[in-house]
Structures are given as C-alpha cells and as structure tokens.
Amino acid sequence: NQKYVCVSRPRRFGKSMAANMLAAYYSRGCDSRELFQGLKISKADACEKKLNQYNTIFLNMQEFLSQTSSMDEMLRLVKKSVLWDLFFEYPDINYFDKENFSRAMQDVYQQTKCPFVIIIDEWDCIFREYRENHEAQEQYLDFLRDFLKDKAYIHLAYMTGILPIKKLKTQSALNNFEEFTMISPGGFAHYIGFTEDEVKKLCEKSGRDFELVKKWYDGYLLGEYHIYNPKAVSNVIKWGNFQSYWSQTGTYDSIQPLINKDFDGLKSAIVEMISGAETEVKTTTFQNDMVTFRNKNDVMTLLIHLGYLAYDQKRQMAYIPNEEIRMEFMNAVEDSHWN
C-alpha cells in the first residue's frame, strides 16, 4: 500500500534527474548494472533482485502538454503513446480491448506476471498552465485515478512536480499517494537537492569558498537537513560566479502578482523577510493550486512550494532562504514601486 509516492520540489531541484535515475534502475528495457556499481545501493541485498526487472513507463507530462492544444488531445496522445509501446513490446498478448488503456496494461500483467513501474515527471504542469480551467484539471485527475489507483499491475507509481496533489473540495482525487513536499519532506528530505555535506565535498574538490557558497545558496531546511539548489551550486562550482542563477530558469515576474495581492499584513511580512526576519505561516488552508488564495498564508505557502521562501516545519516559520532569492524579492518589490 506504500507503492504510491509523490515528491514535490521547486524547479531546478533535481526532480527530473531523480526520476530518470529511478527509470534506469527499474526498467527491464536497459542494463544499468554498471551505472549503480560501487554506489551504496549496490551493497543492498535487494538490489540485484529489483535491478532492471520491471516494465517501466516514463511520462513527462510537460512534453505531452507542449505538443497538444487541449486536455482531450493531450490525454489521447498519452494513451496512444503508451499503447503503441505495449503493442510493440508485447504483440502476442491476447488483449481484451486494444483501445482500453488501463485494461491493456492489466492484460499484459496478467499474462506476463511482470508488473509496471510508472514514473510521471512534471505531473502538475496542467495546474500551472490550465490555472483557471477546473474542468480540464478534473478531467486530468480522473485520468490519473483510472490509470493508477488500486491497480494490481502497479509495483510503484512515482510522481514528481512543483505543486502537491490538488484537493477537490475537501478530498484529494489521488488520496492513495503519500506526499513528500517542501512543507513536509519526510524521509525524502535529503534525496532531492544537495545536502550541506555534499556541498562541502564539492567545494573542497573544486577549491571554492564553502562559507561564501553557504551565504549565497543555503537556507532550505527540509526536516533536519540544510538543502541547496543543485542548479545554483553546480553553476558556481563550475564557473565561480556568485550570482542569482535562479533568474536564469524563471523570473521574478512569477512572484510579483503574488506579493502584490491585497491581503492584510502580506506586504509588511515580505519586507520584514527581505530584512532577514521570519514570519509565522499556517499552511493548512492552501488548496494546492495557483489561483485559490483566501489570505496571506495561502500566498506564502505557494511561495514555499515554488522555492521563493524556506520553511521551518517544527516552528511553522517562513523566511527568505539566501542571498540569491533575496535579490529576486528585491527586484520584484522595486519593480512594484512599493514605498
């Protein structure tokens, strides 16, 4: 029952790399023994038993979204792509209905006894691109539920994105998933992103000043771990330039509309955090989308998920994590002409 996992992290945090690694590990479509040789996992008893033993389907939802112009079209393309792979790999299977997506997967599993690992990257891109289209969102969630929920053919379903799973009314359409987020990272805290120990070793190896790297790029506290954005650390290790690499992957335009919302105490909290202070945040009312905001807590909770704020889970306090992000906030505030 713990085979459904959803990990949400900000952009450039290594989510896709982790998803690709899982695909390489599980997929029977490749031999990745050499890739994992000498790593900790190779010493585990179950490693050989699991390595390259599963029918693995990797879906990058952003790619399907980019190639289509409606939710109907996108879901048709997803189904057609997976079915094409199934029929190519298993032409001799006796299929009950070749147009029925989940039934075809069930037929393969029943007749081969080889279960599926489903890895979905950018699972939440629909909620970022179709922000106001609730009908498209529900259609997409219905598809995922039919595809993934309570299916015997699934050995593991692993989804990754920026936002946690969307709540519909008071329930989640995918309530069988265990979620590991920026607010509640659980046991996945140190697996996504660079830990402080890893950054220290990288600095020693490359001759970079660790204290300077820490000042610029430290600040995310996930459970007990200080986590660094891998994109920023990799660039400063490679080039030695201390600057905001965050703005190269997205601009402060994305936070301007959020911090300009007319909620009581929001602007003063932002200014205080730019100055180095912390502010209390209640994260429980956030609806896991980018349009439903009832108060300043919802805005700040979204900023935590987007990586613009860090969050101390024990004390329920938010703060600007480091110099890189502080610059983004200063640019956004300056452009908004706050007093």
Side-chain angles (χ1 to χ4, degrees):
N1 290 329
Q2 293 177 308
K3 61 188 178 183
Y4 296 93
V5 174
C6 183
V7 175
S8 55
R9 294 288 185 275
R11 53 191 165 80
R12 299 297 179 250
F13 251 72
K15 301 184 299 296
S16 296
M17 188 200 71
N20 284 324
M21 180 271 294
L22 287 174
Y25 177 75
Y26 283 113
S27 177
R28 55 181 287 274
C30 64
D31 179 3
S32 58
R33 185 172 276 95
E34 193 177 328
L35 188 65
F36 295 97
Q37 205 63 45
L39 303 182
K40 282 185 183 179
I41 193 170
S42 66
K43 299 176 178 65
D45 294 337
C47 181
E48 286 292 321
K49 201 187 299 181
K50 305 283 186 183
L51 185 67
N52 303 140
Q53 294 300 311
Y54 298 91
N55 285 322
T56 301
I57 294 175
F58 187 102
L59 301 172
N60 185 326
M61 288 302 182
Q62 185 68 57
E63 290 181 7
F64 290 105
L65 185 66
S66 302
Q67 294 171 36
T68 53
S69 55
S70 71
M71 185 52 59
D72 281 331
E73 199 181 330
M74 178 188 145
L75 295 181
R76 268 199 306 273
L77 182 60
V78 172
K79 292 175 184 178
K80 191 175 178 180
S81 301
V82 174
L83 286 171
W84 188 90
D85 270 355
L86 283 181
F87 300 152
F88 180 81
E89 188 69 23
Y90 294 106
D92 300 326
I93 290 290
N94 184 22
Y95 293 99
F96 174 78
D97 180 357
K98 283 196 168 187
E99 293 184 6
N100 188 318
F101 179 59
S102 55
R103 180 58 196 264
M105 294 184 65
Q106 183 66 29
D107 292 339
V108 169
Y109 171 60
Q110 283 180 337
Q111 294 172 55
T112 66
K113 305 304 179 193
C114 183
F116 287 86
V117 167
I118 313 294
I119 298 172
I120 300 179
D121 197 15
E122 302 278 5
W123 90 271
D124 63 325
C125 60
I126 280 76
F127 297 95
R128 291 181 271 126
E129 302 289 333
Y130 287 85
R131 294 185 186 194
E132 306 282 353
N133 191 336
H134 300 296
E135 187 180 334
Q137 292 174 9
E138 290 198 26
Q139 189 181 352
Y140 175 62
L141 287 172
D142 285 342
F143 159 74
L144 289 178
R145 181 166 47 201
D146 180 57
F147 178 24
L148 301 173
K149 193 167 184 181
D150 301 325
K151 294 294 189 288
Y153 55 72
I154 289 182
H155 173 74
L156 168 70
Y158 179 93
M159 299 200 308
T160 184
I162 294 174
L163 294 174
I165 293 173
K166 168 68 181 164
K167 299 171 185 174
L168 293 178
K169 297 178 181 169
T170 56
Q171 297 295 319
S172 165
L174 297 170
N175 56 11
N176 54 323
F177 273 81
E178 289 193 69
E179 294 197 70
F180 302 90
T181 69
M182 289 296 281
I183 285 169
S184 183
F188 279 77
H190 60 302
Y191 289 117
I192 315 285
F194 287 167
T195 63
E196 190 154 278
D197 284 345
E198 289 167 340
V199 174
K200 276 182 183 173
K201 287 174 186 172
L202 285 168
C203 288
E204 286 170 15
K205 192 174 178 181
S206 62
R208 302 296 178 205
D209 183 340
F210 169 71
E211 291 305 323
L212 203 49
V213 172
K214 182 178 174 68
K215 179 188 174 187
W216 268 85
Y217 306 112
D218 182 24
Y220 296 102
L221 187 65
L222 272 63
E224 304 298 322
Y225 296 90
H226 283 259
I227 299 295
Y228 293 64
N229 184 317
K231 167 74 174 175
V233 173
S234 297
N235 278 343
V236 82
I237 293 293
K238 195 190 304 182
W239 307 116
N241 296 324
F242 289 88
Q243 63 186 54
S244 176
Y245 293 103
W246 189 268
S247 57
Q248 294 177 4
T249 60
T251 69
Y252 60 81
D253 292 346
S254 57
I255 62 169
Q256 255 182 326
L258 296 173
I259 66 176
N260 283 326
K261 287 190 178 296
D262 192 24
F263 290 125
D264 204 29
L266 176 60
K267 289 187 179 182
S268 59
I270 297 294
V271 170
E272 286 170 9
M273 286 190 291
I274 289 174
S275 303
E278 299 177 328
T279 188
E280 186 179 5
V281 180
K282 291 182 171 60
T283 62
T284 50
T285 60
F286 183 57
Q287 293 299 299
N288 298 350
D289 63 31
M290 302 187 79
V291 292
T292 312
F293 302 108
R294 299 191 180 98
N295 49 51
K296 74 167 188 174
N297 287 311
D298 289 344
V299 173
M300 289 201 288
T301 303
L302 176 57
L303 290 172
I304 292 167
H305 287 299
L306 294 175
Y308 286 101
L309 291 179
Y311 181 68
D312 186 327
Q313 187 181 6
K314 285 182 180 174
R315 298 187 298 122
Q316 298 186 334
M317 300 293 282
Y319 55 94
I320 293 174
N322 52 47
E323 201 60 31
E324 181 183 38
I325 305 298
R326 193 184 317 281
M327 286 174 64
E328 295 297 303
F329 270 102
M330 288 170 70
N331 289 335
V333 166
E334 203 172 285
D335 242 33
S336 300
H337 305 294
W338 291 8
N339 287 337

